[in-house]
Amino acid sequence: MDYNHLLVKTENNISVVTLNRPEALNALNKELLNELSLFLEAAESNPEIRVIILTGSGEKSFVAGADIKEFSDFDGREGELLSREGQKRVFDKIENLSKPVIAAVNGFALGGGLELAMSCHFRIASDNARLGLPEVTLGLIPGYGGTQRLPKLVGKGRAAQMIFTAEMISAQRAYEIGLVNEVVSQAELLERAQTIATKIASNSSTAIAKAIQTLNASDSDSGFDLEIKSFGELFETADFKEGVAAFLEKRKADFSHRN
Ligand code: DAK
């Protein structure tokens, strides 16, 4: 499929998706969000794709927020509708995808851009990355899940400080507070994300899909029950049989990645 604002390259079961609006520092407009939603739907049902890496084009920006020019004349109803739709079609979809999505944060991750990175399962940043939620400078609050995901990642107090001050933090600070898992140089960023993705892709996709579901349930009352149920279900899968057989036969597992 051809996209106007996404570059997609799939190799060795890993899709690298580059958000590509460099003239606007990859700001999220409706078309880009729509394309991302379509890509995610296609990726979910494509067995060739086992891991996704999201990054921004250029060396300056991952995503510098939602496209300010596009929502400048919205009223309350349009704002609420877009927030609801956007969360459902892109941000929640990433979080609940059955395949891991890694954000390779290669520069500014601001507003909707940081919210996008936070909806990914984890984040690797380049050392020039700057992260922040500047919505209050526009008279808004984060509208794509930022008030909910940031406190879970860094704690409520740190989230409050970032949201109230609208200040950007460095990649190093983001690492210190747990917002990103690793910081590497810009030149090494994609290579590092790909190394991690390769490792993930060699493990059982069936088990990883269950791990995503149960991790996502960790904040709910049903998390422990879901873990128990999922754990049991995995004993019935071909990947479990292959994984255990490979261990006993002292060889590398060759997973079918199917239930
Ligand atoms: N939207 C549109 N264009 C943007 C943009 C953005 N968010 N960020 C940058 N650009 C454009 C600039 O306008 C400029 O375009 P030209 O003027 O050259 O045509 C080009 O990208 C290069 O930017 P700068 O010239 O400003 O580059 P600098 O290096 O000087 O500065 C910067 C980089 C990232 C510090 C600066 O561009 C900046 O402050 N950008 C805005 C950051 C920001 O406030 N982002 C928005 C956060 S609020 C919603 C749901 C969610 C949201 C909104 C609505 N609904 C459901 C309705 C979320 C809101 C946000 O994300």
Side-chain angles (χ1 to χ4, degrees), residues 21-28 33 60-61 63-71 74-75 78-87 91 108-115 132-138 140-145 168:
R21 288 189 73 215
E23 71 287 357
L25 301 184
N26 308 319
L28 304 173
L33 286 171
K60 191 169 168 182
S61 181
V63 171
D67 191 313
I68 298 173
K69 291 160 196 162
E70 207 172 61
F71 64 75
F74 275 15
D75 62 21
E78 288 173 296
E80 183 176 332
L81 186 71
L82 245 100
S83 176
R84 200 178 296 286
E85 276 297 295
Q87 292 202 24
F91 297 75
F108 291 115
L110 302 176
L114 179 53
E115 291 175 297
L133 292 176
E135 282 84 349
V136 296
T137 66
L138 301 170
L140 292 172
I141 60 169
Y144 284 138
M168 296 183 210

Side-chain angles (χ1 to χ4, degrees), residues 120-156:
C120 295
H121 298 109
F122 59 90
R123 291 142 290 284
I124 307 295
S126 59
D127 51 14
N128 67 322
R130 310 263 293 150
L131 303 90
L133 292 176
E135 282 84 349
V136 296
T137 66
L138 301 170
L140 292 172
I141 60 169
Y144 284 138
T147 65
Q148 303 306 299
R149 292 194 177 96
L150 186 60
K152 285 180 192 141
L153 288 165
V154 305
K156 195 169 166 188

Side-chain angles (χ1 to χ4, degrees), residues 40-62:
L40 293 165
E41 271 162 31
E44 178 70 70
S45 58
N46 182 349
E48 293 305 308
I49 300 176
R50 289 191 214 141
V51 187
I52 295 163
I53 297 170
L54 271 193
T55 194
S57 70
E59 299 204 337
K60 191 169 168 182
S61 181
F62 174 69

